[in-house]
Amino acid sequence: MYSEKVMDHFNHPRNVGEIEDPSGVGTVGNAKCGDIMRMYLDIDDNGIIQEAKFKTFGCGAAIATSSMATELVKGKTVQEALEVTNKAVMEALDGLPPVKVHCSLLAEEAIHAALWDYAKKNGIVIEGLKEPVSDIEERVDAE
Amino acid sequence: MYSEKVMDHFNHPRNVGEIEDPSGVGTVGNAKCGDIMRMYLDIDDNGIIQEAKFKTFGCGAAIATSSMATELVKGKTVQEALEVTNKAVMEALDGLPPVKVHCSLLAEEAIHAALWDYAKKNGIVIEGLKEPVSDIEERVDAE
Amino acid sequence: MEKLIYLDNAATTQVYPEVFEEMKPYFTEYYGNPSSVYQFAQESKNKVERAREEIAEMLNAKPEEIYFTGGGSESDNWALVATAETYAKKGKHIITSKIEHHAILHTCEYLESRGYEVTYLDVDENGLIDLEQLKKSIREDTILISIMSANNEIGTIQPIAEIGKIAKEHEIFFHTDAVQAFGHIPIDVEEMRIDMLSASGHKIHGPKGIGFLYIRKNVRIGAFIHGGSQERGKRAGTHNVPGIVGLAAAAKIAKENLESNIKYETKLRDYAISRIENEIPFAVLSGHRTKRLPNNIHFCFRFIEGESMLILLDQAGICGSSGSACTSGSLDPSHVLLAIGRPHEIAHGSLRLTLSEKNTKEEIDKVVDELKKIIERLRSMSPLYED
Amino acid sequence: MEKLIYLDNAATTQVYPEVFEEMKPYFTEYYGNPSSVYQFAQESKNKVERAREEIAEMLNAKPEEIYFTGGGSESDNWALVATAETYAKKGKHIITSKIEHHAILHTCEYLESRGYEVTYLDVDENGLIDLEQLKKSIREDTILISIMSANNEIGTIQPIAEIGKIAKEHEIFFHTDAVQAFGHIPIDVEEMRIDMLSASGHKIHGPKGIGFLYIRKNVRIGAFIHGGSQERGKRAGTHNVPGIVGLAAAAKIAKENLESNIKYETKLRDYAISRIENEIPFAVLSGHRTKRLPNNIHFCFRFIEGESMLILLDQAGICGSSGSACTSGSLDPSHVLLAIGRPHEIAHGSLRLTLSEKNTKEEIDKVVDELKKIIERLRSMSPLYED
Ligand SMILES: Cc1ncc(COP(=O)(O)O)c(C=O)c1O
Ligand SMILES: Cc1ncc(COP(=O)(O)O)c(C=O)c1O
Ligand code: FES
Ligand code: FES
C-alpha cells in the first residue's frame, strides 16, 4: 500500500533521535489516531536549520513522513521551513494512501511546533506561523 | 426424489385409458395444484371390481398413484376398495416425498368419486362412502 | 450413459474450466485476507480490485460503484431494503412489476409488512410492462422503481433505457435485477440511466455464491449486511476472493464473446422454437418473440403437466425446467405465467429450455424429437386431451 | 524468499488442499442447481444435505436446524435482525457485550436506529462478561442475548453454558457468534443451551463466502435474504454448492482433530506467550490466560504502534495482525482493548498472532527473535520510551 519511497524512509529513517539543547522542540499528537511525533531543530544565528531530528510513535506513514520532513527542512531558513507542508512531504514520498493523509499533517504540525518553541525561546515572531493547534502533553508513562 | 416403485409406475403406468360404459366414473381435481384425475371402474353384479382405468393430468406422483390405485382396487369388492386409502397407495409405492403426499389423496378421492357414481347409478348406498368433496367439473377445453 | 444435454442455463451454469483455473490459486495458495496489511495479502487485494475494474468497465460504471455480494438474491434484497430505509423520509412507495423474481417480490412483501407501499405493474401477454402505466403509477412519495432487465422464466427483455429515462425525469432511483441479463445482453448503466443493478456469478459460467450490486455514486444507501469495513463500509464480511476472481473471469469471457454468443444462441433458440411450433400441436410460446433473451425457450404445452415432462426428459438425458429452479417444490403455478394471462391449467404444462453457447443444433434436434414423443405419451394419459 | 510464517489464522485460513479436492468437482462437473428436479442435480442436492448433517452432528444439532449463509457476518445480521423483527411484539430489548465483532455491534446500532434498545455488557480486564450484570440487565422486554463464544482479537472464551442457562431460565433466546470458536473448541448446542449460532467457513480452513446459522427449531425467525424457497424458505439464493461442500469438509477435519489440535496449539501458544513475557519488556498479554482460544496470542507492547510492527514483521516474512482484519483502515483503537481497560496509547501497540495446527515451534522461535529486534528498534524511535 505504501510507495517505495515511503518504505525506504520507513525502513531507513533519516535523522532519528534527539538533539541536546535544541533551538526548538515540538511534540504534537494526532487526535485522530493517537499517534505522537516530536521534532528537534538546531537553528543557527542566521535562522538556518542546521539539524533536525525526530522521534515518532506512530504508523509506518508517520515514521516515513517524520523522516522525510526532517530531510526537507534541513538547510532551509525558518521561513522556507514553513513551506514544508504536509503536501510537500507527501509529494516527496510519492504520495500516501488516502487513509494516511492525516499522518503527514502530523509532520507539518511537528515542524510548526518546533519553530513555535524556537520563536518563543528567542522572543521573535515568525511571519505566517500560528500557534500549533495540537501540541499535546507528553504522555510518557512514568512506570 | 421418487422411489423406484414410483418411477416404475410412472414409466410404465398400469391401466391407462378409458372404459366404455363404466359402472362408475369419477373425476377429481386437486385444488392445491390444479391437477386432475379420472377413474373408471367396471364392477360386476357381485360388487367386485373387474377392471379399473385412469387418465391423469398431473405430476409424476399423480400418475404413479393413479396407476397403483387402479392396481390395488382391481379384484376387490366395493367395500374393500374403500380401504384403498392414500396411505395404502403410498405404502404400496414405498412412500412419497412430503410435498407429494397430497397427490396420493387425488387417487383416493378418484376411487371414491367413481364408487359414488356407481352407487348413484344403481340406487345403492355404500357404507362409509361420503360424497366426494372435490369432484370437479371437467375442464376439457373445447378448442 | 449418453452425454447429458444441459438446457437449464437460467437455473445455473457450469463454471468454465478456464474460469476455474483462474480461481484455483486463491483457495490454497493466495488465501490471504484482502483486508490484511502484509504483502502476502496484497495479491488477494489487487486481484479483487482488478476484478472490480473489469466488471465496472463492462457496465460502463466506475470501479468504486461495484459492491461484491453473496449473490443475486442478496443484491436484490440490499437494493430494495436499503433504499427503502435510507430514503424513507422522502417517501415510502416503490414500483415494481408482477413478473419479478421472488428475490424482488418477497422483499417487497417484507417491506410492505414494514409499512412501505408497493405498486406491482401489470405486463401484457408477452411479459412487457406498459410505460404509460409506469408513468401513471409514479407518485410524490415514490422512491424506487425496480424492474428486471430480463425475465428468468419467459426471457422477455424490458425497455430498460426507457424506464431509466422515466425514472430520471422524475428523479426516482431505478434498480434493475439483471441477474439473467448481465453477460447475456449489452448493458450500459449510463446510456440506460440505471442507478442500481443486481447480478450473479453462476448465471454466466462463474461460481455460485457471488454476485454484485452496482450502486451509482449519487445513491447513498446504507449497508444491508452490517459489520466490518469491507467494500467501503457498505458490505461487511471477509471478501470471497476466489468467488470474486471467478465472477470477473466469467464476466470477461462473457464480454469478449457477447456478440457472437448472442448471434449463435438466437439462431439456435429460433430454430428450436420453430421446430416445436411446427411439429408439436397445442404448443404456446411464452414471452416476447424477439425481445427475449437469446438463450430462452419457453413453451406451455396444453393438456399436460410440467413435472411429468421434466422427468421423462431427464430419463432421456435432457435437463430442462418448468419454471424457476428456486420455486420448485412449490405447487403454485408460476406467477409469471399467470401475469401474462395464461390460465392455470395451461400454465401447468410449462417447459423452459435455456441455452449456453456450448449447446448445438444436434442437441436441439434430439431434444425436440424426444419432446414430441413425451408430449404425445403424456397427452394420451390426460383426461383433458381428446383426440 | 524464505517460507512465509502465517500467523493470522483468525483473519482467515488456508483452504486445506484436501478440502479443496472435495470442492473441485462441484465447479465444472457437478454444477447442477440443487433445487432442480433432474438426476444430474441430485448429486449436488445430496451433497448439500450430507454437509448439513455433518455440521449438525458436530454441534449436536438437527440437520434441519442448519441454514447455509454467505458467511459469518450474514449469519450475525440474520440472527439479530430477524429475531428483532419476528419478536418485536414480545419486546424490543437486546443484550450483547462491548467486545462483540462489528458484525454484531454495527447490526445492533442499526437496530437501535430502528427503535430497538441494546444493552452492551462490560467485560473485565480479561475480557469476560459478568454473569451478574447479565442477569441484572434482563428486562421484561428482552428478546435476545447475543454473546460471542470467543473473541476474535484477544481470544477470551465466554462462559457460554452459563449464559445459555440464564437465557433459558428467563425464556430469552440466546445467540452466539461462534465464528472464531466453531471448529476450534467443543460446542454442544444442547449442553450449552444455544438457540442460534453463527459460523464461517474460512476460519476453519474452509472456503470464504460461506457460513451457516444454526437456528433451534423453536426459534421461528423469518428470513433475512428474501426470495426463492431454498433453505426451507428461510434463506434465498442459489446454493453455493462447492462452498457448502468445502465448509463441511473443513468442519469434518476440524472435528476429527479437535482434541489434538487444542493440545498442540495450546502448548505452542503458551510457549510463545512465555517467551514474549520473559524476553520482551513492557509486553502486556491481552485476554484471559487460560480461558482463551488455543490459537490466540495477543500482546500490547508499550511505547510503540501496531502498524509499524506489522510492516517490519511482514518484511521478515511473518504475517500477523494488529487487531481484526476487517477494521484495518480504521484509525480508532480497538473497541475490544478499550473495553478491557487498555489506555489508548497502549492499545495502539497491539499484536495478534493466531496459530493453526500447521505452525511449528521453530516458526514461533523465529517470530519471537524477530519481534524482539523490531520492538527494540521501534522503541528507540519512540518519544514515549525513555531508556
Ligand atoms: C467473531 C467474528 N464474527 C464475525 C466475523 C465475520 O465473518 P465473515 O468475515 O466470514 O463474514 C468474524 C471474522 O471476520 C469474526 O471473527
Ligand atoms: C432474475 C433473477 N433474480 C435473482 C436471482 C437470484 O440469484 P441468486 O440465486 O444468485 O441469489 C435469479 C436466479 O436465481 C434470477 O433469475
Ligand atoms: S495512523 Fe497515526 S500517524 Fe498514521
Ligand atoms: S403436484 Fe399435483 S398431483 Fe402431484
Side-chain angles (χ1 to χ4, degrees), chain C residues 141-197:
Chain C
D141 61 343
T142 306
I143 50 173
L144 180 68
I145 296 170
S146 180
I147 302 286
M148 70 202 315
S149 301
N151 184 269
N152 51 306
E153 289 186 43
I154 59 174
T156 299
I157 298 171
Q158 300 295 341
I160 292 305
E162 283 83 348
I163 299 168
K165 208 168 147 235
I166 293 169
K168 175 92 182 169
E169 278 165 13
H170 291 79
E171 290 181 31
I172 296 167
F173 292 133
F174 171 38
H175 166 258
T176 187
D177 175 346
V179 169
Q180 292 290 341
F182 176 73
H184 292 276
I185 55 174
I187 301 179
D188 182 315
V189 293
E190 287 306 322
E191 245 173 55
M192 298 174 167
R193 295 160 191 269
I194 295 166
D195 293 308
M196 286 175 273
L197 177 147

Side-chain angles (χ1 to χ4, degrees), chain D residues 32-49:
Chain D
N33 187 326
S35 300
S36 298
V37 297
Y38 33 77
Q39 281 305 310
F40 172 59
Q42 289 304 303
E43 169 67 24
S44 319
K45 185 179 175 145
N46 294 341
K47 201 72 185 174
V48 166
E49 295 315 318

Side-chain angles (χ1 to χ4, degrees), chain C residues 73 76 99-106 148 152 177 326 335, chain D residues 228:
Chain C
S73 299
D76 283 346
I99 63 164
E100 298 295 311
H101 189 269
H102 282 135
I104 295 291
L105 291 179
H106 288 165
M148 70 202 315
N152 51 306
D177 175 346
C326 44
H335 67 283

Side-chain angles (χ1 to χ4, degrees), chain D residues 329-350:
Chain D
S330 150
L331 302 163
D332 302 327
S334 147
H335 65 284
V336 176
L337 297 178
L338 296 183
I340 62 169
R342 294 276 152 94
H344 201 284
E345 74 275 13
I346 295 184
H348 232 42
S350 64

Side-chain angles (χ1 to χ4, degrees), chain C residues 273-326:
Chain C
I273 290 175
S274 88
R275 268 207 67 187
I276 290 171
E277 288 188 324
N278 289 330
E279 301 177 37
I280 302 181
F282 307 111
V284 196
L285 179 69
S286 325
H288 197 280
R289 200 167 283 273
T290 55
K291 292 176 188 162
R292 79 185 293 129
L293 287 172
N295 75 344
N296 178 290
I297 299 154
H298 191 289
F299 276 94
C300 290
F301 299 102
R302 308 188 66 157
F303 316 126
I304 61 171
E305 190 269 353
E307 196 207 71
S308 315
M309 203 169 14
L310 290 186
I311 300 176
L312 292 170
L313 280 170
D314 186 20
Q315 289 177 359
I318 299 161
C319 299
S321 91
S322 146
S324 64
C326 44

Side-chain angles (χ1 to χ4, degrees), chain B residues 27-70:
Chain B
T27 304
V28 294
N30 194 323
K32 220 170 164 186
C33 62
D35 292 340
I36 294 165
M37 193 182 292
R38 187 182 303 154
M39 179 87 63
Y40 302 83
L41 296 178
D42 182 23
I43 302 173
D44 70 12
D45 295 346
N46 302 320
I48 291 173
I49 298 168
Q50 291 296 339
E51 226 189 323
K53 294 249 182 198
F54 78 91
K55 282 216 163 180
T56 291
F57 165 76
C59 71
I63 289 172
T65 51
S66 316
S67 165
M68 180 55 91
T70 52

